[in-house]
């Protein structure tokens, strides 16, 4: 159980609270990287509070590892000839594995700050909004390298987050209430194609749009299945 709390703290610190300014500069300037790592570490510490002093100490040490990974990630990717997508996935894999092993030291002597069910819902919300906003860009950039990436301009980031929340709610209701709720996915598809006709077709191909739509639907489904 402790792993879920640590994972939520990581998602909040590494994605939800990471501004575009931090993301742009953390790999180039140590001050921005230090700020980023402090935010992530404090976020994980907040959720790790009920699980003992040893786990909290390991979370702080993990912050040092996080700093080193982010500082040298670009150089490592160049040496190993890794794409941005591979570097992103590798970096997150290391972070998550370390949090898993840290969670094994948890003791359950204090009352949890947040109910476990709420934690799982917050994990889904963090993934389908902030995490997926970044992950989608890496995947689409790898699939369509010749096309510009503009999802962080002109309110596109907010549009993406709101549409993914809507899609997640529809899938959640279809799993827990009735499959008939899947009919409401048609609205999301219509919104995507309207946005494509209005703006995205100026720089995005139709296969690019379909790939984005598939990602924005597939990941919420996987999240819901994983935490059911």
């Amino acid at each position: 159980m402790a792993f879920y709390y640590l994972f939520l703290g990581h998602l909040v610190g590494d994605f939800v609270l990471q501004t575009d300014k931090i993301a742009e500069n953390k790999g180039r300037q140590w001050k921005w990287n230090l700020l980023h790592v402090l935010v992530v570490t404090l976020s994980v510490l907040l959720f790790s509070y009920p699980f003992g002093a040893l786990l909290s100490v390991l979370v702080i040490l993990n912050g040092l590892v996080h700093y080193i990974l982010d500082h040298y990630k670009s150089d490592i990717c160049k040496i190993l000839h890794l794409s941005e997508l591979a570097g992103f996935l590798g970096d997150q894999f290391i972070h998550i594995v370390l949090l898993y092993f840290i969670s094994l030291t948890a003791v359950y002597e204090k009352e949890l700050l947040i109910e476990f069910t709420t934690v799982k819902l917050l994990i889904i919300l963090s993934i389908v909004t902030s995490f997926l906003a970044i992950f989608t860009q890496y995947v689409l950039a790898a699939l369509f390298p010749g096309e510009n990436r503009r999802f962080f301009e002109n309110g596109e980031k907010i549009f993406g987050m709101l549409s993914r929340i809507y899609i997640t709610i529809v899938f959640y209701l279809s799993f827990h209430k009735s499959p008939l709720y899947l009919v409401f996915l048609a609205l999301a598809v219509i919104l995507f194609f309207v946005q494509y006709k209005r703006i995205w077709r100026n720089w995005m191909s139709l296969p690019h749009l379909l790939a984005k739509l598939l990602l924005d639907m597939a990941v919420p489904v996987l999240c819901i299945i994983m935490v059911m």
Side-chain angles (χ1 to χ4, degrees), residues 73-91:
K73 180 170 64 176
S74 180
D75 294 333
I76 294 173
C77 288
K78 289 179 182 178
I79 293 172
L80 299 178
H81 303 289
L82 298 176
S83 65
E84 288 187 351
L85 175 60
F88 172 79
L89 292 176
D91 176 64

Side-chain angles (χ1 to χ4, degrees), residues 17 32 138 149 171:
L17 298 180
W32 286 100
Y138 281 117
R149 294 172 287 174
F171 277 121

Side-chain angles (χ1 to χ4, degrees), residues 16 120-131 165 168:
V16 178
K120 292 192 291 184
L121 291 176
L122 290 174
I123 287 174
I124 293 177
L125 183 61
S126 299
I127 290 177
V128 301
T129 54
S130 301
F131 173 82
I165 290 173
T168 303

